[in-house]
Amino acid sequence: MCKIYHETLQLSTKHRFELIDITSFVEEAVARSRIKNGVCIVFAPHATAAIIANEREPGLMQDIITFIKELVQPERNWRHNTIDDNAHAHIGSAIIGSERVFPVINGKLVRGTWQNIFLVEMDGPRSLRNVVVMVIGE
Ligand code: ZN
């Protein structure tokens, strides 16, 4: 019998660009779901943030932010900036993606040793960012 469980994490961000580790929240949500086998969707309902899975090493976390900035060029004269000064963050969200999907096997979220789960803030600081965790399985 398939079950569906969800929780929403609410958090605030402190910087314009920031990686926020949400791994323990996601793993605890999977445990609370009591679903043994299925999938876990981690989704940020925002057009200027993204979700990634990668290593929690401070140098690498800075490197990822540096690369995202090079890619999305916050200082460029984007058209959207005439109404809202965050075109770079929309572009970053569009190319990185708003969600990641993980297998759930034997009650545990499956991820690599060097795959922590991060919310990627690209238009902070924000007083409220949501991350929806949905677990589907049995
Ligand atoms: Zn905008």
Side-chain angles (χ1 to χ4, degrees), residues 31-61:
R32 281 189 288 269
S33 77
R34 299 189 172 277
I35 289 170
K36 293 292 169 224
N37 293 290
V39 292
C40 174
I41 301 163
V42 182
F43 175 74
H46 299 287
T48 55
I51 302 289
I52 62 170
N54 221 290
E55 185 176 356
R56 187 197 167 103
E57 189 281 305
L60 179 68
M61 291 165 71

Side-chain angles (χ1 to χ4, degrees), residues 120-136:
V120 184
E121 174 62 85
M122 291 174 282
D123 190 33
R126 294 291 186 103
S127 56
L128 178 61
R129 287 296 202 185
N130 295 301
V131 178
V132 178
V133 177
M134 177 168 270
V135 190
I136 305 167

Side-chain angles (χ1 to χ4, degrees), residues 6-20:
H6 64 88
E7 284 187 25
T8 300
L9 169 65
Q10 300 191 314
L11 49 88
S12 58
T13 61
K14 296 185 181 67
H15 306 285
R16 192 178 194 197
F17 285 86
E18 189 175 359
L19 295 187
I20 295 168

Side-chain angles (χ1 to χ4, degrees), residues 30-130:
V30 169
R32 281 189 288 269
S33 77
R34 299 189 172 277
I35 289 170
K36 293 292 169 224
N37 293 290
V39 292
C40 174
I41 301 163
V42 182
F43 175 74
H46 299 287
T48 55
I51 302 289
I52 62 170
N54 221 290
E55 185 176 356
R56 187 197 167 103
E57 189 281 305
L60 179 68
M61 291 165 71
Q62 272 306 316
D63 291 338
I64 289 170
I65 287 173
T66 298
F67 180 71
I68 291 171
K69 284 181 182 167
E70 286 172 6
L71 205 58
V72 302
Q73 305 175 48
E75 310 315 322
R76 187 167 156 178
N77 202 12
W78 298 110
R79 287 192 183 95
H80 181 66
N81 290 351
T82 59
I83 57 161
D84 193 10
D85 193 27
N86 64 0
H88 71 276
H90 287 276
I91 294 165
S93 175
I95 60 178
I96 298 167
S98 303
E99 85 298 318
R100 298 284 155 159
V101 179
F102 300 86
V104 174
I105 299 176
N106 294 328
K108 291 230 175 330
L109 181 108
V110 179
R111 62 182 178 91
T113 309
W114 314 117
Q115 281 182 314
N116 277 38
I117 307 166
F118 294 98
L119 173 75
V120 184
E121 174 62 85
M122 291 174 282
D123 190 33
R126 294 291 186 103
S127 56
L128 178 61
R129 287 296 202 185
N130 295 301

